[in-house]
Amino acid sequence: MLKYLNYFQFFLFCLIPLLLVTGPFLSDLSITLIGIIFIICIIKTNNFQYIKSKFSIYFFIYYLIFIIASLNSNNILFSFESSLFYFRFGLFFLAIHYIIQNNKNFNSYFLSFLFLTFLILIIDGFYQYFSAYNFLGYHYGGNRLSGLFGNEQKLGNFLIRLLPIILAFLIISKTKIINSDHFLILFSIVVGTLIFISGERNAIVLFLIFVILFTLLIIKSNFLKLAFLAIFLLISVFLLAETNIKQRLILNTIDSVKMKDSNELYFISEEHQGLILTSIKMGKENLLTGVGPKMFRNECKETKYQINHSTKDTLTSYCSTHPHNIYAQLFAETGIIGLSPLILFFIIITSLLCREILLRFNGKIILSRYQCLLLIAIFLNFLPFVPSYNFFNNWISIIYYLPIGLLFNSTQNQDIKNESVN
């Protein structure tokens, strides 16, 4: 029975990239089942080493902070909808290490499913761009390309957040053609082009940052570094000359950042800035544990959280389901106690990347390129200065924890740790 549970768990994990395309329900169901099977397996085998790591302790302390924040909220049951079952992402993280250790062919199978997912999205996305309709009949009106994501319009975000992960697995692939720098560059350019024409501005910003880090940390040859940057620049100029893309990415961005009838500048847009200022005000009023997970959407309606609109000299309520910035959201909903661990985590990830960049300039290497790409994925996921999804959203949480789990496993797996270091 245990053998079949392991196979089923492994199959579910390999399916995650495809299930993420279908939406939050099936992907969340899969990681929940993976977590349950993980618990059953470690109990059956009496092997509790997987839950004795430092991360387990850190995560469940963090989980406890969310529970306390919910208990201190004005609507405990409503807040519990986000916090009570958040532990499933911790189990998912731990299960990743278990799955990889118990499946010798993990890398090749997971890469196959991941590559298939990207291939389907790439073909469907470009088909929709040139024909106005994708394979499922979703229409592209020239504004934002959605592909198989339909009305959710998160094709660009999916691609950029999983791009470093698929590149990491391509690098450790045994096939010389696909683990070469030439293929990695070609693949990145194709995916990057689709991200550009998706029209998702935050995904494009993340891709631009990825290009810099990919050039500094992953590409070995100086000639290929320059070639990659030159090709990327030429394609960008060509795409920005297209009317719809230019309107969306440049003209609309300028309009949202600057008021037409004044010289006032906004952070991203008036709405984004208003939501962030509301979050800060909310966090200051509830400094330690915030107003509770999922409670921003309720509390933002309160008069005490209204923001002074300088151009209108009035108080304005800025409300949404979340503040569209995970740091602002955690400060508002979990207070300084919930925000501080994420800030510390991001500082650690950033310092590791900066250290590796400096070492590589001096001809030294500590982390493999596989590990560097996973660090890049984590860095992009938690970048503070771009709009983001709801921190407690199950779809994005799976994407958050996937590279973290893979990176943790690489620190325990000497074969992967040493692979493609040079």
Side-chain angles (χ1 to χ4, degrees):
M1 177 184 174
L2 197 61
K3 179 181 177 181
Y4 294 110
L5 281 176
N6 281 329
Y7 283 146
F8 182 57
Q9 183 187 48
F10 175 51
F11 179 67
L12 282 176
F13 186 86
C14 289
L15 279 178
I16 283 176
L18 281 168
L19 295 178
L20 284 168
V21 178
T22 69
F25 175 75
L26 290 177
S27 53
D28 189 46
L29 177 62
S30 69
I31 68 116
T32 301
L33 291 174
I34 286 171
I36 293 172
I37 294 171
F38 169 68
I39 292 296
I40 293 173
C41 289
I42 64 172
I43 291 175
K44 285 276 188 181
T45 58
N46 198 30
N47 187 357
F48 296 96
Q49 62 170 337
Y50 296 98
I51 60 174
K52 292 180 180 179
S53 67
K54 291 181 179 179
F55 175 84
S56 302
I57 299 171
Y58 296 150
F59 174 84
F60 285 105
I61 290 174
Y62 203 36
Y63 169 69
L64 184 60
I65 290 172
F66 294 156
I67 296 297
I68 293 171
S70 289
L71 290 172
N72 287 332
S73 70
N74 292 328
N75 190 332
I76 296 174
L77 292 179
F78 185 73
S79 182
F80 268 161
E81 290 179 11
S82 286
S83 63
L84 189 59
F85 296 103
Y86 190 80
F87 67 85
R88 68 190 186 279
F89 299 111
L91 293 178
F92 171 60
F93 167 91
L94 296 172
I96 292 174
H97 184 43
Y98 174 84
I99 292 169
I100 296 174
Q101 281 203 327
N102 287 276
N103 293 276
K104 294 180 180 180
N105 297 318
F106 172 84
N107 293 340
S108 58
Y109 279 101
F110 184 66
L111 174 59
S112 298
F113 279 90
L114 193 53
F115 192 83
L116 176 63
T117 305
F118 267 76
L119 187 62
I120 293 171
L121 290 175
I122 290 168
I123 295 172
D124 179 79
F126 280 113
Y127 181 79
Q128 185 183 41
Y129 178 72
F130 289 110
S131 69
Y133 289 92
N134 81 328
F135 297 146
L136 296 182
Y138 293 122
H139 181 251
Y140 170 57
N143 186 22
R144 291 177 65 173
L145 190 76
S146 60
L148 293 173
F149 290 96
N151 296 328
E152 294 188 25
Q153 297 182 330
K154 51 190 180 185
L155 173 63
N157 263 285
F158 178 88
L159 291 173
I160 184 55
R161 293 176 190 274
L162 269 69
L163 176 59
I165 298 176
I166 189 172
L167 292 177
F169 279 89
L170 287 171
I171 280 178
I172 61 174
S173 168
K174 302 299 182 182
T175 306
K176 291 184 179 181
I177 295 176
I178 66 174
N179 69 18
S180 68
D181 281 5
H182 296 85
F183 185 83
L184 298 178
I185 290 171
L186 176 63
F187 189 81
S188 298
I189 290 172
V190 172
V191 174
T193 303
L194 188 55
I195 291 170
F196 258 85
I197 63 179
S198 75
E200 295 177 48
R201 285 175 287 188
N202 59 330
I204 293 168
V205 171
L206 293 177
F207 181 72
L208 293 175
I209 296 170
F210 163 81
V211 167
I212 297 170
L213 295 174
F214 181 72
T215 304
L216 292 174
L217 289 168
I218 308 303
I219 303 176
K220 299 176 184 178
S221 163
N222 288 330
F223 171 77
L224 287 179
K225 290 178 190 284
L226 292 174
F228 173 61
L229 292 174
I231 295 171
F232 168 71
L233 182 61
L234 287 173
I235 292 175
S236 300
V237 171
F238 175 77
L239 290 174
L240 291 175
E242 202 271 330
T243 304
N244 290 329
I245 296 177
K246 179 181 178 181
Q247 179 68 42
R248 168 71 182 166
L249 299 183
I250 298 178
L251 301 180
N252 289 355
T253 300
I254 293 173
D255 288 342
S256 65
V257 171
K258 185 176 180 180
M259 282 285 290
K260 293 181 179 179
D261 53 352
S262 73
N263 292 322
E264 185 171 0
L265 296 177
Y266 291 118
F267 175 69
I268 303 175
S269 70
E270 178 189 344
E271 184 68 19
H272 281 96
Q273 181 170 302
L275 289 170
I276 290 174
L277 291 175
T278 301
S279 302
I280 293 172
K281 200 169 186 179
M282 200 178 290
K284 286 181 177 178
E285 288 281 331
N286 308 271
L287 190 60
L288 289 181
T289 59
V291 296
K294 203 179 179 180
M295 291 299 294
F296 178 86
R297 67 192 72 193
N298 293 347
E299 297 293 331
C300 61
K301 302 170 187 175
E302 297 291 326
T303 305
K304 62 181 177 178
Y305 298 129
Q306 289 181 335
I307 303 299
N308 183 42
H309 198 299
S310 59
T311 59
K312 299 177 183 178
D313 197 27
T314 58
L315 289 173
T316 306
S317 292
Y318 290 93
C319 264
S320 182
T321 54
H322 59 97
H324 297 279
N325 182 284
I326 56 175
Y327 293 85
Q329 181 184 0
L330 285 177
F331 184 50
E333 295 188 341
T334 64
I336 196 69
I337 296 178
L339 174 62
S340 298
L342 181 62
I343 293 176
L344 178 60
F345 177 71
F346 183 75
I347 290 173
I348 293 171
I349 296 299
T350 305
S351 64
L352 288 173
L353 282 173
C354 291
R355 183 195 67 178
E356 199 64 25
I357 291 171
L358 292 173
L359 285 173
R360 285 173 187 260
F361 269 120
N362 294 316
K364 299 178 182 179
I365 296 172
I366 291 181
L367 300 176
S368 69
R369 294 195 298 165
Y370 173 88
Q371 292 172 316
C372 286
L373 280 163
L374 294 177
L375 278 174
I376 291 171
I378 298 167
F379 178 80
L380 296 178
N381 280 336
F382 296 102
L383 200 66
F385 306 114
V386 294
S388 58
Y389 294 92
N390 182 348
F391 180 83
F392 296 100
N393 175 273
N394 50 11
W395 186 87
I396 196 64
S397 292
I398 295 170
I399 294 176
Y400 285 163
Y401 281 94
L402 179 58
I404 299 174
L406 293 171
L407 182 63
F408 174 76
N409 173 74
S410 75
T411 64
Q412 312 298 310
N413 188 331
Q414 196 61 36
D415 291 336
I416 289 182
K417 191 174 180 180
N418 293 332
E419 192 116 34
S420 299
V421 171
N422 298 319

Short mmCIF file of all heavy atoms in Angstrom, two decimals, residues 45-70:
data_model
loop_
_atom_site.label_atom_id
_atom_site.label_comp_id
_atom_site.label_asym_id
_atom_site.label_seq_id
_atom_site.Cartn_x
_atom_site.Cartn_y
_atom_site.Cartn_z
N THR A 45 6.13 4.42 8.29
CA THR A 45 7.54 4.02 8.30
C THR A 45 8.26 4.43 9.59
O THR A 45 9.43 4.14 9.76
CB THR A 45 8.28 4.63 7.10
OG1 THR A 45 8.15 6.07 7.15
CG2 THR A 45 7.71 4.12 5.80
N ASN A 46 7.54 5.14 10.44
CA ASN A 46 8.12 5.63 11.70
C ASN A 46 9.39 6.46 11.44
O ASN A 46 10.37 6.39 12.17
CB ASN A 46 8.43 4.46 12.63
CG ASN A 46 8.61 4.92 14.07
OD1 ASN A 46 8.01 5.90 14.51
ND2 ASN A 46 9.46 4.22 14.82
N ASN A 47 9.33 7.24 10.35
CA ASN A 47 10.48 8.05 9.94
C ASN A 47 10.12 9.53 10.05
O ASN A 47 9.53 10.10 9.12
CB ASN A 47 10.88 7.70 8.50
CG ASN A 47 12.16 8.38 8.07
OD1 ASN A 47 12.74 9.17 8.82
ND2 ASN A 47 12.60 8.09 6.87
N PHE A 48 10.46 10.13 11.17
CA PHE A 48 10.06 11.51 11.43
C PHE A 48 11.18 12.52 11.18
O PHE A 48 11.07 13.68 11.58
CB PHE A 48 9.55 11.63 12.87
CG PHE A 48 8.32 10.82 13.15
CD1 PHE A 48 8.41 9.56 13.72
CD2 PHE A 48 7.06 11.31 12.79
CE1 PHE A 48 7.27 8.80 13.96
CE2 PHE A 48 5.93 10.56 13.04
CZ PHE A 48 6.03 9.31 13.62
N GLN A 49 12.23 12.09 10.49
CA GLN A 49 13.35 12.99 10.24
C GLN A 49 12.94 14.16 9.35
O GLN A 49 13.52 15.25 9.42
CB GLN A 49 14.50 12.23 9.58
CG GLN A 49 14.14 11.64 8.20
CD GLN A 49 15.35 11.11 7.47
OE1 GLN A 49 16.46 11.53 7.75
NE2 GLN A 49 15.13 10.19 6.55
N TYR A 50 11.92 13.93 8.50
CA TYR A 50 11.50 14.97 7.57
C TYR A 50 10.83 16.15 8.26
O TYR A 50 10.78 17.25 7.71
CB TYR A 50 10.54 14.39 6.53
CG TYR A 50 11.19 13.36 5.65
CD1 TYR A 50 11.04 11.99 5.91
CD2 TYR A 50 11.98 13.73 4.56
CE1 TYR A 50 11.64 11.04 5.11
CE2 TYR A 50 12.59 12.78 3.76
CZ TYR A 50 12.41 11.44 4.04
OH TYR A 50 13.02 10.49 3.24
N ILE A 51 10.28 15.92 9.45
CA ILE A 51 9.61 17.02 10.15
C ILE A 51 10.45 17.55 11.32
O ILE A 51 9.95 18.33 12.12
CB ILE A 51 8.21 16.59 10.66
CG1 ILE A 51 8.32 15.41 11.62
CG2 ILE A 51 7.31 16.26 9.49
CD1 ILE A 51 6.99 15.04 12.25
N LYS A 52 11.71 17.12 11.38
CA LYS A 52 12.59 17.58 12.46
C LYS A 52 13.55 18.68 12.01
O LYS A 52 14.45 19.07 12.76
CB LYS A 52 13.38 16.41 13.04
CG LYS A 52 12.53 15.40 13.80
CD LYS A 52 13.38 14.26 14.34
CE LYS A 52 12.52 13.26 15.10
NZ LYS A 52 13.34 12.12 15.62
N SER A 53 13.35 19.18 10.81
CA SER A 53 14.24 20.23 10.30
C SER A 53 13.94 21.57 10.97
O SER A 53 12.87 21.77 11.54
CB SER A 53 14.07 20.38 8.79
OG SER A 53 12.78 20.87 8.48
N LYS A 54 14.91 22.48 10.88
CA LYS A 54 14.72 23.82 11.44
C LYS A 54 13.57 24.53 10.75
O LYS A 54 12.85 25.31 11.37
CB LYS A 54 16.01 24.64 11.29
CG LYS A 54 17.15 24.17 12.17
CD LYS A 54 18.37 25.05 12.00
CE LYS A 54 19.50 24.58 12.90
NZ LYS A 54 20.73 25.42 12.72
N PHE A 55 13.40 24.26 9.44
CA PHE A 55 12.32 24.92 8.72
C PHE A 55 10.97 24.57 9.32
O PHE A 55 10.08 25.41 9.40
CB PHE A 55 12.32 24.55 7.24
CG PHE A 55 11.14 25.11 6.49
CD1 PHE A 55 11.18 26.40 6.00
CD2 PHE A 55 9.99 24.35 6.33
CE1 PHE A 55 10.08 26.92 5.35
CE2 PHE A 55 8.89 24.86 5.67
CZ PHE A 55 8.94 26.16 5.17
N SER A 56 10.80 23.29 9.71
CA SER A 56 9.53 22.88 10.31
C SER A 56 9.21 23.73 11.53
O SER A 56 8.08 24.19 11.70
CB SER A 56 9.60 21.40 10.72
OG SER A 56 9.89 20.60 9.62
N ILE A 57 10.22 23.95 12.33
CA ILE A 57 10.03 24.76 13.55
C ILE A 57 9.68 26.19 13.16
O ILE A 57 8.72 26.77 13.68
CB ILE A 57 11.29 24.72 14.42
CG1 ILE A 57 11.58 23.28 14.87
CG2 ILE A 57 11.13 25.65 15.62
CD1 ILE A 57 12.92 23.12 15.55
N TYR A 58 10.46 26.78 12.23
CA TYR A 58 10.23 28.16 11.82
C TYR A 58 8.84 28.31 11.21
O TYR A 58 8.12 29.28 11.51
CB TYR A 58 11.28 28.60 10.79
CG TYR A 58 12.69 28.65 11.32
CD1 TYR A 58 13.78 28.41 10.48
CD2 TYR A 58 12.94 28.90 12.67
CE1 TYR A 58 15.07 28.44 10.97
CE2 TYR A 58 14.23 28.92 13.16
CZ TYR A 58 15.30 28.70 12.30
OH TYR A 58 16.58 28.73 12.79
N PHE A 59 8.48 27.35 10.34
CA PHE A 59 7.19 27.48 9.66
C PHE A 59 6.03 27.40 10.64
O PHE A 59 5.10 28.21 10.57
CB PHE A 59 7.02 26.39 8.59
CG PHE A 59 5.64 26.41 7.96
CD1 PHE A 59 5.36 27.27 6.91
CD2 PHE A 59 4.63 25.60 8.45
CE1 PHE A 59 4.10 27.32 6.36
CE2 PHE A 59 3.36 25.64 7.90
CZ PHE A 59 3.10 26.50 6.85
N PHE A 60 6.06 26.44 11.54
CA PHE A 60 4.92 26.27 12.42
C PHE A 60 4.84 27.37 13.49
O PHE A 60 3.77 27.66 14.01
CB PHE A 60 4.91 24.87 13.02
CG PHE A 60 4.47 23.83 12.02
CD1 PHE A 60 5.39 22.99 11.43
CD2 PHE A 60 3.15 23.75 11.63
CE1 PHE A 60 4.99 22.05 10.46
CE2 PHE A 60 2.73 22.82 10.68
CZ PHE A 60 3.66 21.97 10.10
N ILE A 61 5.97 28.01 13.80
CA ILE A 61 5.91 29.21 14.62
C ILE A 61 5.22 30.33 13.84
O ILE A 61 4.38 31.07 14.38
CB ILE A 61 7.33 29.65 15.05
CG1 ILE A 61 7.90 28.67 16.08
CG2 ILE A 61 7.30 31.07 15.64
CD1 ILE A 61 9.35 28.96 16.46
N TYR A 62 5.56 30.44 12.55
CA TYR A 62 4.94 31.43 11.68
C TYR A 62 3.44 31.16 11.55
O TYR A 62 2.62 32.08 11.59
CB TYR A 62 5.62 31.40 10.32
CG TYR A 62 5.50 32.67 9.52
CD1 TYR A 62 5.51 33.92 10.14
CD2 TYR A 62 5.37 32.65 8.14
CE1 TYR A 62 5.41 35.08 9.42
CE2 TYR A 62 5.27 33.81 7.40
CZ TYR A 62 5.29 35.03 8.05
OH TYR A 62 5.18 36.18 7.32
N TYR A 63 3.10 29.89 11.41
CA TYR A 63 1.70 29.49 11.34
C TYR A 63 0.96 29.88 12.62
O TYR A 63 -0.19 30.37 12.57
CB TYR A 63 1.61 27.98 11.10
CG TYR A 63 0.23 27.40 11.27
CD1 TYR A 63 -0.79 27.69 10.37
CD2 TYR A 63 -0.05 26.54 12.34
CE1 TYR A 63 -2.06 27.15 10.53
CE2 TYR A 63 -1.31 25.99 12.50
CZ TYR A 63 -2.32 26.31 11.60
OH TYR A 63 -3.57 25.78 11.76
N LEU A 64 1.61 29.69 13.75
CA LEU A 64 1.01 30.06 15.03
C LEU A 64 0.76 31.57 15.11
O LEU A 64 -0.25 32.01 15.66
CB LEU A 64 1.93 29.63 16.18
CG LEU A 64 1.41 29.84 17.61
CD1 LEU A 64 0.12 29.06 17.81
CD2 LEU A 64 2.45 29.41 18.62
N ILE A 65 1.65 32.36 14.53
CA ILE A 65 1.46 33.82 14.48
C ILE A 65 0.18 34.16 13.72
O ILE A 65 -0.61 35.03 14.14
CB ILE A 65 2.67 34.50 13.82
CG1 ILE A 65 3.90 34.41 14.74
CG2 ILE A 65 2.37 35.97 13.48
CD1 ILE A 65 5.19 34.89 14.08
N PHE A 66 -0.07 33.47 12.60
CA PHE A 66 -1.29 33.71 11.82
C PHE A 66 -2.54 33.35 12.63
O PHE A 66 -3.55 34.05 12.58
CB PHE A 66 -1.27 32.89 10.53
CG PHE A 66 -0.20 33.29 9.56
CD1 PHE A 66 0.28 32.40 8.61
CD2 PHE A 66 0.37 34.57 9.60
CE1 PHE A 66 1.27 32.77 7.71
CE2 PHE A 66 1.36 34.95 8.71
CZ PHE A 66 1.81 34.05 7.76
N ILE A 67 -2.45 32.24 13.37
CA ILE A 67 -3.58 31.81 14.20
C ILE A 67 -3.87 32.85 15.29
O ILE A 67 -5.03 33.22 15.53
CB ILE A 67 -3.31 30.43 14.83
CG1 ILE A 67 -3.19 29.36 13.74
CG2 ILE A 67 -4.40 30.07 15.84
CD1 ILE A 67 -4.46 29.15 12.93
N ILE A 68 -2.82 33.33 15.93
CA ILE A 68 -2.99 34.35 16.99
C ILE A 68 -3.59 35.63 16.40
O ILE A 68 -4.47 36.25 17.00
CB ILE A 68 -1.64 34.64 17.67
CG1 ILE A 68 -1.17 33.41 18.46
CG2 ILE A 68 -1.75 35.86 18.59
CD1 ILE A 68 0.24 33.53 19.00
N ALA A 69 -3.12 36.00 15.21
CA ALA A 69 -3.65 37.20 14.55
C ALA A 69 -5.14 37.03 14.26
O ALA A 69 -5.93 37.97 14.42
CB ALA A 69 -2.88 37.48 13.27
N SER A 70 -5.55 35.84 13.85
CA SER A 70 -6.96 35.57 13.59
C SER A 70 -7.78 35.63 14.88
O SER A 70 -8.90 36.17 14.91
CB SER A 70 -7.14 34.20 12.94
OG SER A 70 -6.68 34.20 11.61
#
